[in-house]
Amino acid sequence: MIKKYLFTSESVTEGHPDKVCDQISDAILDEILTSNPEGRVACEALATTDLIIISGEITTNNHPDYEQIAKDTLDYIGYNENVEGFSSKNVKVQLHIDEQSAHIAQGVDNLKQKEQGAGDQGLMFGYACNETPELMPFPIQLSHRMAEKLAYVRKNGITWLKPDGKTQVTVEYSGNTPVRVVKVVLATQHDDMLDKFGNSEQKELDYITKKMVENVIIPVLNEYEIPYENNFIVNGTGRFVEGGPKADTGLTGRKIIVDTYGGYARHGGGAFSGKDPSKVDRSAAYYARYVAKNIVASGLADRCEIQVAYSIGVAEPVSVSLDSFGTGVKSDEELTQIIKKVFNFKPAEIIKQLNLKSPIYRKLAAYGHFGRNGFPWEKTNKIEDLKAYMENIYAR
């Protein structure tokens, strides 16, 4: 009997307090990598009413203007009105920055082995499935695209929208196949418009709901051509005027499920933003996605999850494993052996193959690190290698 069930994932806009901090951390990383690709960065930001605190361990030969980077990031997001609470015009920026621990640096450089070791111990996961053209789970992909669309319409015409917002999509599955969207939840910060609606909160909400359904929800659903129910909740509390870090403190690295697969696949626990690629929390998670996506794109499995684990200072992974959830053309053990031959999981090789010393990270800090075109770990350029290796092995 085919199992039917619901699965829900959420995303947030670039103006969400945690995402503000992710973008500041990654903007700092980009600036450092631009002038010093060998820089070591572990940068955290905290945002609250009229205040940003930037801290971390940063080793570079050219420290940038951290305060200006933070304010420029707020300008880009849309927190640029001269208003009390949180704005690039009046926010204060505090810096608490040290250099990377010498012991950690020693482990990463690993001069005894003459090759780069992992920047920390830990486990990372990568995932892909054939539910969407991007080989991503449907719920998180729809949630991201709606959050992105919400920001787009704010910047291109609907001027009463403000930067903070969330989206959430619930999908019904039959087995492993998404069959319809059963509910969409959207929350968006907005201007106080009560005067325009005779001080009626209900009329204000009805207006906002109509505009969000017409301009955000329906257009994204129609892009993916999946059946959907007209079951939408917009601003479930009724009003959302005060938002951003003024309403809720933000912190780098607090949206790890939003950043990856929306809870549909496992997560090793490490955040991405503000970390240079020597930190395998980030680089190995990108590489695991790359491996999983190539497995699915090559037709070797319909669903694929990769786990890789490291010890600090050691280049060779502690373990590499693959789970195809019973969809593989060969056993998981055989597929695992194949990926070990085709892919190199050593940190230096990951960085080289994916060109991770490039300043590409701020644009990743909102709307997901996976399922987006233009990034090296989204390429499916190992399909022929995988197929050739399969043919060589099983032709014997």
Side-chain angles (χ1 to χ4, degrees):
M1 181 177 179
I2 297 177
K3 179 183 176 183
K4 292 188 176 182
Y5 59 96
L6 304 180
F7 196 90
T8 301
S9 294
E10 72 159 352
S11 182
V12 298
T13 66
E14 62 209 55
H16 184 279
D18 295 329
K19 279 292 148 201
V20 169
C21 294
D22 285 344
Q23 288 166 95
I24 291 170
S25 293
D26 273 338
I28 289 169
L29 173 61
D30 280 355
E31 188 66 27
I32 290 170
L33 290 176
T34 298
S35 61
N36 180 17
E38 303 305 320
R40 296 285 163 75
V41 181
C43 179
E44 318 290 341
L46 178 147
T48 187
T49 303
D50 285 333
L51 177 65
I52 292 171
I53 298 173
I54 299 172
S55 65
E57 294 75 49
I58 299 177
T59 301
T60 180
N61 54 21
N62 185 17
H63 283 276
D65 186 338
Y66 296 106
E67 180 174 351
Q68 192 59 52
I69 291 171
K71 291 186 175 184
D72 288 347
T73 302
L74 298 188
D75 279 337
Y76 172 82
I77 293 168
Y79 288 113
N80 46 24
E81 296 179 10
N82 192 14
V83 295
E84 182 181 350
F86 193 76
S87 166
S88 61
K89 303 293 189 297
N90 51 38
V91 71
K92 294 180 176 62
V93 180
Q94 294 182 5
L95 303 180
H96 301 272
I97 295 171
D98 294 315
E99 290 199 344
Q100 184 183 56
S101 158
H103 293 160
I104 294 175
Q106 174 181 289
V108 174
D109 296 333
N110 207 335
L111 299 180
K112 291 181 181 179
Q113 291 190 32
K114 297 184 180 180
E115 62 182 340
Q116 180 173 328
D120 201 353
Q121 71 175 53
L123 54 140
M124 300 84 211
F125 289 94
Y127 183 81
C129 61
N130 58 9
E131 294 179 16
T132 67
E134 302 85 359
L135 304 185
M136 286 286 286
F138 224 110
I140 188 65
Q141 196 68 10
L142 283 173
S143 296
H144 280 324
R145 300 295 74 82
M146 283 185 193
E148 210 168 31
K149 186 73 168 180
L150 178 56
Y152 177 83
V153 299
R154 169 174 63 86
K155 294 176 179 181
N156 292 275
I158 305 184
T159 57
W160 46 263
L161 287 173
K162 297 298 180 184
D164 199 356
K166 286 186 172 185
T167 58
Q168 184 174 287
V169 176
T170 300
V171 175
E172 179 184 338
Y173 282 80
S174 178
N176 293 328
T177 304
V179 293
R180 63 184 177 133
V181 174
V182 299
K183 188 177 287 291
V184 173
V185 177
L186 184 149
T188 181
Q189 186 186 6
H190 58 87
D191 282 342
D192 187 335
M193 300 183 288
L194 282 180
D195 287 349
K196 297 179 181 179
F197 296 99
N199 290 319
S200 169
E201 291 188 10
Q202 187 58 54
K203 288 182 180 179
E204 181 190 59
L205 177 59
D206 290 344
Y207 175 76
I208 293 170
T209 298
K210 182 175 184 293
K211 291 298 183 182
M212 292 300 94
V213 170
E214 290 177 351
N215 292 280
V216 179
I217 296 174
I218 296 297
V220 173
L221 290 175
N222 286 342
E223 282 179 24
Y224 283 86
E225 299 180 349
I226 185 172
Y228 59 84
E229 296 183 8
N230 290 302
N231 191 355
F232 311 134
I233 298 174
V234 176
N235 286 3
T237 63
R239 307 194 78 215
F240 187 180
V241 174
E242 188 172 279
K246 180 184 178 182
D248 188 10
T249 298
L251 190 66
T252 299
R254 205 157 54 179
K255 285 289 176 284
I256 60 175
I257 300 303
V258 170
D259 283 345
T260 52
Y261 307 101
Y264 201 86
R266 286 174 285 192
H267 194 294
F272 297 157
S273 289
K275 296 178 180 178
D276 75 81
S278 72
K279 281 74 172 174
V280 285
D281 277 347
R282 179 169 224 165
S283 54
Y286 289 176
Y287 199 68
R289 161 66 178 172
Y290 176 57
V291 176
K293 186 172 183 181
N294 274 273
I295 287 288
V296 173
S298 66
L300 298 183
D302 293 334
R303 302 167 66 200
C304 180
E305 185 179 75
I306 304 294
Q307 189 204 53
V308 58
Y310 294 88
S311 171
I312 188 169
V314 180
E316 198 69 46
V318 172
S319 67
V320 176
S321 63
L322 177 151
D323 188 347
S324 67
F325 307 94
T327 69
V329 299
K330 297 293 181 181
S331 72
D332 290 348
E333 292 80 4
E334 291 170 304
L335 292 175
T336 299
Q337 292 306 311
I338 289 170
I339 65 170
K340 286 181 178 180
K341 295 294 184 181
V342 175
F343 297 94
N344 190 328
F345 288 84
K346 291 183 178 181
E349 285 297 319
I350 290 173
I351 291 168
K352 180 181 177 181
Q353 289 181 50
L354 300 184
N355 197 23
L356 295 182
K357 290 182 181 179
S358 301
I360 57 173
Y361 296 103
R362 193 211 59 78
K363 67 184 72 172
L364 285 164
Y367 313 117
H369 293 247
F370 308 126
R372 299 167 66 182
N373 293 329
F375 296 100
W377 50 91
E378 294 297 321
K379 293 181 179 178
T380 53
N381 56 355
K382 292 292 185 179
I383 292 175
E384 295 307 316
D385 292 343
L386 287 165
K387 288 181 176 179
Y389 196 81
M390 281 277 292
E391 290 172 3
N392 288 338
I393 289 179
Y394 296 106
R396 297 173 187 172

